Amino acid sequence: MPRLPEVHILAPDGRALGLVGTGQSVANCALDAAGRRLFLTSSDMLAVVPVRPA
């Protein structure tokens, strides 16, 4: 069974914090200046995911 696309979330020290299932390939991702929101983009999607401090 093929895996669905996902983004791996890592702490600055490299620890795995979690996965965000996206349902499609992601072209870009970035945190806002405060580090509280993760923006994900693809050719036809913009998603905003709230981030809890690690």
Side-chain angles (χ1 to χ4, degrees), residues 35-54:
R36 303 227 181 242
R37 295 181 294 175
L38 176 65
F39 294 89
L40 306 167
T41 65
S42 71
S43 62
D44 62 351
M45 171 196 70
L46 168 62
V48 181
V49 179
V51 176
R52 290 181 293 175

Side-chain angles (χ1 to χ4, degrees), residues 7-40:
V7 173
H8 295 250
I9 307 300
L10 305 174
D13 65 5
R15 287 178 296 120
L17 298 176
L19 299 170
V20 175
T22 61
Q24 60 184 319
S25 296
V26 171
N28 294 290
C29 61
L31 287 168
D32 70 356
R36 303 227 181 242
R37 295 181 294 175
L38 176 65
F39 294 89
L40 306 167

